[in-house]
Amino acid sequence: MHRTWVEIKELALSSNIQTLRSLIGNGAVFCAVVKANAYGHGLKEVARIARRNGVDAFAVDCIEDALILRDLFPTSLIIVLGYTMSERFHEAIREQIDLTLYDLEGLREAEAAASKSALPARVHLKIETGTSRQGVSMDDLPDLLNLFRESKYLQLIGVSTHFANIEDTTNTEYATLQYHRFTEALELVRTFELEPEYIHCACSAAILLYPQTYGTLVRAGIAMYGIWSSAMVEETMHKQSISCELQPVLSWKTRIAQVKSIPGGTPIGYGLTEIVQKRSRIAVLPVGYWDGYDRRLSSRGEVLIAGYRCKVMGRVNMNMIMVDVSSVPNVQKNQEVILIGKDARNMITADAMAQKISTIPYEVLARINASIPRIVV
Ligand SMILES: *Cc1c(COP(=O)(O)O)cnc(C)c1O
């Protein structure tokens, strides 16, 4: 029994994986992106379900998460997408975790760590193609490739890049330009007689819309969790009448801590920001911004109780919110409340919540506090 918890629907996750896999076909490896606690869904919970569905490649942001996965899966491909400090290279090498590197300094340190442990350093070289994030420029690429050719311990396992604007289907030019630059980098890699096994650049939007970007591995994040990368991606898919059904995997629930009646004119919560007009019934819920329920949902958020939409009254507190339950019959202490998810009558999507606070569902999901229990249902 939890007062606030996250439910992960195994069937939905499995179905999304299968849906994406059927788009991808057999040409490319399906790599599940499970960074940020699997987009708030729970790293281990999601990874185990994905593994049961035959997924054998995982991408994380940091070495800490990679080590957790290595404990679960002794032989799976595990790629760290983000920055790894050289002090941690020996752990990655010992556990045969793949690193994303993009500069000479990093490669030299990886080589030193690898030669010390007499094990190969498995490296994905990230190419700067226009996101201005991690990545080696075309100018610096030859020096790095030389190092791979000369080094006994550096293994070029993958070459990758990341799109900056692929979710915007009104402007495909920039993605095309980035893909073109990526192709040029790959040609250069070939002239160095290096044969990386994994060529990868496709995130969810690319998986859904641009099969030409698949390479030999795709990195599936948001779509695997049953959420469209953007409304535009969804629209474009439908316009092209590609049938693709994504099912939201996550629900976020809590319980009523107290129900009370307050007379008209009574203010609610910190700052007295909201005053009820008439006699109202208020429910206090044990969830707040610490849990990831954004403070900008103050007086704006909605929750579902017994099929009714109930508005957040006053400010979101650190660990509590108050909602108006005046129109809900028989509200009880301990009764279940849906923060994200659906019941028989209504639904609150991560996307709808994100729009209320001018952000994207990625952020809403990723910020659900990792200390909240994830329950697989
Ligand atoms: C997060 C991330 C992805 C996944 O993106 P989605 O849009 O969630 O599919 C892929 N590649 C990299 C490098 C990422 O950081």
Side-chain angles (χ1 to χ4, degrees):
M1 278 303 245
H2 301 290
R3 55 177 206 179
T4 299
W5 70 104
V6 164
E7 285 179 6
I8 301 304
K9 223 179 272 157
E10 172 154 9
L11 270 177
L13 183 55
S14 304
S15 156
N16 297 334
I17 290 170
Q18 277 153 31
T19 300
L20 294 171
R21 273 232 203 88
S22 67
L23 282 177
I24 295 155
N26 294 323
V29 169
F30 181 97
C31 176
V33 179
V34 290
K35 66 191 183 196
N37 198 28
Y39 291 44
H41 291 60
L43 173 61
K44 288 186 180 179
E45 291 81 359
V46 165
R48 285 200 186 101
I49 297 170
R51 189 70 200 89
R52 282 201 283 279
N53 280 275
V55 174
D56 205 16
F58 299 90
V60 292
D61 174 61
C62 58
I63 183 81
E64 289 83 357
D65 285 358
L67 292 168
I68 290 170
L69 289 185
R70 180 54 83 220
D71 257 0
L72 296 181
F73 313 130
T75 60
S76 295
L77 181 74
I78 301 170
I79 310 171
V80 177
L81 298 173
Y83 173 52
T84 309
M85 291 175 70
S86 58
E87 286 82 354
R88 313 286 310 257
F89 282 175
H90 68 279
E91 293 167 82
I93 291 160
R94 184 186 69 218
E95 301 297 336
Q96 291 295 285
I97 288 164
D98 295 18
L99 294 166
T100 298
L101 298 177
Y102 37 75
D103 55 22
L104 267 183
E105 194 187 340
L107 287 181
R108 290 207 178 104
E109 280 164 334
E111 187 188 35
S115 71
K116 224 182 196 173
S117 31
L119 281 168
R122 297 171 54 91
V123 177
H124 295 243
L125 203 51
K126 184 119 181 217
I127 312 294
E128 174 57 77
T129 58
T131 301
S132 303
R133 209 166 82 170
Q134 298 161 304
V136 54
S137 69
M138 278 300 267
D139 289 347
D140 295 338
L141 183 57
D143 284 348
L144 273 61
L145 294 174
N146 258 326
L147 203 56
F148 277 103
R149 249 214 332 219
E150 288 162 8
S151 167
K152 208 171 114 196
Y153 289 104
L154 288 179
Q155 277 186 355
L156 184 63
I157 299 291
V159 179
S160 67
T161 195
H162 192 48
F163 293 111
N165 194 36
I166 195 127
E167 289 81 11
D168 176 2
T169 57
T170 62
N171 171 11
T172 54
E173 273 159 57
Y174 201 73
T176 306
L177 173 69
Q178 284 193 277
Y179 189 69
H180 177 71
R181 288 174 175 161
F182 188 47
T183 310
E184 281 180 342
L186 293 172
E187 275 161 21
L188 193 61
V189 170
R190 241 162 261 135
T191 66
F192 279 74
E193 288 163 353
L194 294 162
E195 283 172 11
E197 185 175 353
Y198 301 112
I199 306 296
H200 52 109
C201 60
C203 57
S204 294
I207 293 171
L208 294 166
L209 293 174
Y210 308 109
Q212 63 273 30
T213 64
Y214 289 173
T216 58
L217 179 145
V218 298
R219 306 186 301 254
I222 199 81
M224 183 176 73
Y225 302 101
I227 290 164
W228 295 93
S229 320
S230 67
M232 264 190 259
V233 169
E234 182 177 10
E235 259 170 52
T236 309
M237 285 288 282
H238 290 323
K239 266 191 212 142
Q240 297 175 358
S241 33
I242 304 168
S243 85
C244 174
E245 207 205 316
L246 299 177
Q247 298 175 26
V249 172
L250 177 144
S251 306
W252 187 10
K253 298 182 177 175
T254 188
R255 289 180 194 284
I256 295 175
Q258 188 180 10
V259 186
K260 63 178 60 173
S261 222
I262 53 173
T266 309
I268 299 179
Y270 288 135
L272 320 178
T273 55
E274 189 153 11
I275 297 169
V276 292
Q277 304 279 315
K278 52 181 194 321
R279 175 160 283 282
S280 302
R281 245 177 327 141
I282 297 297
V284 182
L285 310 180
V287 65
Y289 55 79
W290 150 258
D291 302 275
Y293 199 85
D294 198 286
R295 191 165 175 275
R296 287 165 295 179
L297 290 165
S298 296
S299 290
R300 307 195 57 201
E302 284 177 336
V303 304
L304 300 178
I305 300 177
Y308 292 82
R309 283 184 183 276
C310 305
K311 191 176 90 68
V312 172
M313 301 296 281
R315 290 211 178 128
V316 172
N317 303 177
M318 192 178 280
N319 298 108
M320 280 181 234
I321 55 175
M322 283 70 89
V323 296
D324 185 351
V325 292
S326 302
S327 51
V328 189
N330 303 321
V331 182
Q332 302 288 332
K333 180 174 175 175
N334 238 24
Q335 191 170 341
E336 197 172 297
V337 178
I338 296 173
L339 304 170
I340 293 177
K342 65 176 192 177
D343 59 26
R345 289 169 50 178
N346 273 309
M347 157 159 95
I348 295 172
T349 62
D351 203 28
M353 189 184 269
Q355 280 179 33
K356 277 204 172 140
I357 57 172
S358 306
T359 185
I360 51 177
Y362 292 76
E363 185 185 358
V364 163
L365 294 170
R367 295 183 84 177
I368 300 176
N369 196 310
S371 68
I372 297 172
R374 268 62 176 174
I375 312 294
V376 177
V377 296

